[in-house]
Amino acid sequence: MQESISTSNTPILQVKELVKQFGGNRAVDHATFDVENRSITGLIGPNGAGKTTCFNCIAGALSPNDGSIIFDEYNITGLPPYRIFDRSLIRTFQIPQELAQMSVLENLMLARKGQDGERLWQAWFHPNKIAIQENELQESALEILDLVDLYQHAHETASSLSGGQRKLLELARALMGQPRMILLDEPSAGVNPTLARKLSEHIEMIRSKLGITFLLISHDMDIIERICDKVIVMTSGHVLLEGTANEVFSNSEVQNAYLGSQYR
Ligand SMILES: Nc1ncnc2c1ncn2[C@@H]1O[C@H](COP(=O)(O)OP(=O)(O)O)[C@@H](O)[C@H]1O
Ligand SMILES: [Mg+2]
């Protein structure tokens, strides 16, 4: 394993005093939290707490008004999404319409980073190299499909997959980017409980096999309790509390924050 000693104890992600404002609405209001390397960390909180906005700032889809985001000891605040992706901090996306008609395998092969830029150039000057790269790409795509139990569906169209399998495909696409950390926003939303459990088992297995860190937004308290090492609770744009699932669920402030919300 090539891992610098200096990163082993430092949190892989440090969000400090993050602020994101939409007009007069401060969606994220001085949020501060850390994510430990190789952890599965949950981000929970009532609707409108600012969780997704936080993710959008971390992944570069939104530029924060204030505060900082340090990933792997590197300041990524305000960087465009592709630069953050290149640093191996990767979020999952729903399979877009144009990809749904392609095969599962093609979906993965199109997700690998650094493919497009040099492509034409290489096709002219290094045709054999391109072929080798395509083979390696396909090989790693098939390995990843095997890892998430989609190997036997490699040549089916993405649109033919069940809802739960699509979520696994989204995860597999993120894995093609060779992530150190994956951001998942409500991965089990709209997925039945059996498949949600399967998805969470895959997340755990990927963390232990590949050492990937996960930050997971979820309203599914069952998943949070089962797989998260630490849970961060957001309300009104800031962090209310952090702790283990049991600690935060039994906290009266957290229970109050969820009162009137449909989730708890
Ligand atoms: N693109 C946007 N433009 C304006 N307001 C937004 C936008 N995205 C989110 N908001 C507002 O920011 C607040 C936090 O939303 P969000 O981050 O989606 O919360 P959560 O994911 O915790 O439910 C909400 O009041 C929401 O209406
Ligand atoms: Mg959200």
Side-chain angles (χ1 to χ4, degrees):
M1 286 270 8
Q2 288 186 341
E3 196 177 359
S4 67
I5 292 161
S6 65
T7 58
S8 56
N9 288 325
T10 314
I12 190 166
L13 182 76
Q14 297 168 282
V15 174
K16 292 178 190 160
E17 298 291 332
L18 192 70
V19 175
K20 180 64 194 178
Q21 193 131 354
F22 296 111
N25 179 11
R26 205 169 258 193
V28 179
D29 189 4
H30 296 92
T32 297
F33 60 87
D34 287 346
V35 175
E36 302 305 323
N37 197 16
R38 297 175 183 232
S39 68
I40 300 176
T41 299
L43 184 58
I44 69 168
N47 265 336
K51 305 178 297 294
T52 297
T53 305
C54 254
F55 262 32
N56 284 332
C57 290
I58 296 167
L62 290 172
S63 195
N65 297 93
D66 204 356
S68 63
I69 303 161
I70 312 292
F71 177 67
D72 202 13
E73 304 190 68
Y74 188 88
N75 191 342
I76 60 164
T77 320
L79 290 183
Y82 72 91
R83 296 266 320 268
I84 294 171
F85 183 98
D86 282 346
R87 299 205 73 84
S88 306
L89 171 50
I90 296 181
R91 74 182 309 177
T92 57
F93 281 105
Q94 290 192 346
I95 308 298
Q97 203 48 49
E98 27 331 334
L99 286 179
Q101 298 315 314
M102 297 178 123
S103 77
V104 167
L105 181 61
E106 284 165 334
N107 263 272
L108 259 67
M109 291 179 68
L110 288 168
R112 173 58 61 85
K113 68 182 162 192
Q115 259 206 98
D116 298 332
E118 289 172 309
R119 205 115 191 231
L120 272 178
W121 171 269
Q122 290 197 353
W124 275 98
F125 295 105
H126 307 285
N128 295 334
K129 196 170 166 195
I130 280 278
I132 290 166
Q133 278 184 351
E134 289 281 333
N135 280 342
E136 283 173 359
L137 193 63
Q138 177 157 337
E139 219 165 276
S140 52
L142 289 170
E143 269 173 32
I144 287 170
L145 287 178
D146 190 33
L147 198 68
V148 299
D149 290 343
L150 288 177
Y151 189 90
Q152 69 275 33
H153 302 287
H155 299 291
E156 295 168 18
T157 60
S159 60
S160 70
L161 298 178
S162 73
Q165 287 170 333
R166 262 198 201 219
K167 293 292 169 191
L168 288 169
L169 178 57
E170 291 169 20
L171 187 58
R173 280 177 56 83
L175 290 173
M176 282 301 284
Q178 299 170 313
R180 289 203 60 204
M181 176 165 176
I182 297 181
L183 304 174
L184 295 168
D185 193 347
E186 313 228 16
S188 62
V191 171
N192 78 46
T194 312
L195 290 171
R197 178 174 274 257
K198 198 174 162 205
L199 185 64
S200 68
E201 284 166 2
H202 275 99
I203 293 169
E204 272 193 306
M205 178 270 291
I206 288 163
R207 184 265 296 268
S208 52
K209 262 199 181 164
L210 304 178
I212 294 171
T213 307
F214 284 90
L215 180 60
L216 165 76
I217 295 177
S218 185
H219 285 303
D220 186 334
M221 298 307 168
D222 192 45
I223 286 193
I224 293 283
E225 194 161 13
R226 194 146 19 86
I227 68 171
C228 290
D229 309 300
K230 181 173 94 171
V231 181
I232 298 159
V233 186
M234 274 186 85
T235 52
S236 314
H238 64 268
V239 173
L240 176 68
L241 184 79
E242 287 180 12
T244 63
N246 283 335
E247 281 163 5
V248 304
F249 293 162
S250 60
N251 181 281
S252 58
E253 272 188 279
V254 174
Q255 287 166 1
N256 286 338
Y258 273 98
L259 271 186
S261 132
Q262 70 208 83
Y263 298 107
R264 212 163 220 247

